[in-house]
Amino acid sequence: MALLEGVVLAVILTCLLLIIRLFTVVKTGSNYKPGAKGPVSVVVVAGSGGHTTEVLRLMECLSAAYTPRHYVIADSDRMSEEKICTFERSRQHSDSESQVLCNGPGTCIPLCVAGLLLGILGMKKVLIVYVESICRVQTLSLTGKILYPISDYFFVQWPCLRDKYPKSIFLGRIV
């Protein structure tokens, strides 16, 4: 019986430590200044349709400090692959800090969770930057609702969304 109580106590303490660490990683993310220690490695999640166009417009605005860039696309999404290859032909690369930049496809959620997990485990701080699609005027997308609490920077493109979600950043139309 004492062994069982010890195991239960160990599990509870481990869960408590993970929750505290999760809270610490999520709350300190917005104080983190990307590029302060050199180039920032970026994982870009491209979705089919307008998501790829929007995320590439965002990438055009990033400085050369945001390299290398790694892209995640669906195997069947040849059009996005072509657009990304064309975009990358005009860029140069180096190495660095890490960031996940995404703008809506649900496929970005596991990558953002993996980046968060790296921070929780103390392996590497990965900034999670989410830009809500311009077509989301009144409410957040499902992906936005899921990533809102864990993102370091959460951009919206409409003032009414900024009013509903105080953590969000409104800079006007970005893409």
Side-chain angles (χ1 to χ4, degrees), residues 90-153:
S90 64
R91 305 289 178 165
Q92 297 177 354
H93 301 288
S94 69
D95 208 21
S96 68
E97 295 179 5
S98 299
Q99 172 178 343
V100 176
L101 172 65
C102 49
N103 70 326
T107 53
C108 69
I109 294 170
L111 293 168
C112 291
V113 170
L116 181 64
L117 186 58
L118 287 173
I120 291 170
L121 297 175
M123 297 171 72
K124 185 171 196 171
K125 174 60 183 160
V126 176
L127 283 178
I128 298 171
V129 179
Y130 183 81
V131 180
E132 186 61 88
S133 177
I134 194 161
C135 68
R136 302 307 299 204
V137 177
Q138 300 283 332
T139 61
L140 296 179
S141 62
L142 178 58
T143 303
K145 289 175 185 174
I146 293 169
L147 295 179
Y148 179 76
I150 67 167
S151 63
D152 296 299
Y153 296 98

Side-chain angles (χ1 to χ4, degrees), residues 17-45:
L17 287 172
L18 284 174
I19 290 170
I20 291 169
R21 180 69 181 158
L22 171 66
F23 181 77
T24 303
V25 167
V26 169
K27 288 299 175 190
T28 59
S30 58
N31 297 330
Y32 188 76
K33 303 296 180 210
K37 297 177 185 173
V40 178
S41 177
V42 181
V43 174
V44 180
V45 182

Side-chain angles (χ1 to χ4, degrees), residues 16-90:
L16 183 62
L17 287 172
L18 284 174
I19 290 170
I20 291 169
R21 180 69 181 158
L22 171 66
F23 181 77
T24 303
V25 167
V26 169
K27 288 299 175 190
T28 59
S30 58
N31 297 330
Y32 188 76
K33 303 296 180 210
K37 297 177 185 173
V40 178
S41 177
V42 181
V43 174
V44 180
V45 182
S48 59
H51 290 296
T52 298
T53 302
E54 284 186 4
V55 83
L56 288 177
R57 285 185 185 164
L58 286 170
M59 296 300 295
E60 288 172 355
C61 298
L62 292 179
S63 72
Y66 290 88
T67 56
R69 290 174 294 279
H70 307 282
Y71 295 89
V72 177
I73 57 174
D75 284 340
S76 59
D77 193 357
R78 297 291 172 228
M79 187 183 319
S80 292
E81 183 178 2
E82 289 173 19
K83 287 180 181 179
I84 289 167
C85 288
T86 301
F87 174 80
E88 280 301 317
R89 281 188 207 112
S90 64

Side-chain angles (χ1 to χ4, degrees), residues 149-163:
I150 67 167
S151 63
D152 296 299
Y153 296 98
F154 191 94
F155 292 93
V156 294
Q157 300 185 61
W158 296 96
C160 60
L161 286 177
R162 177 201 49 214
D163 298 340

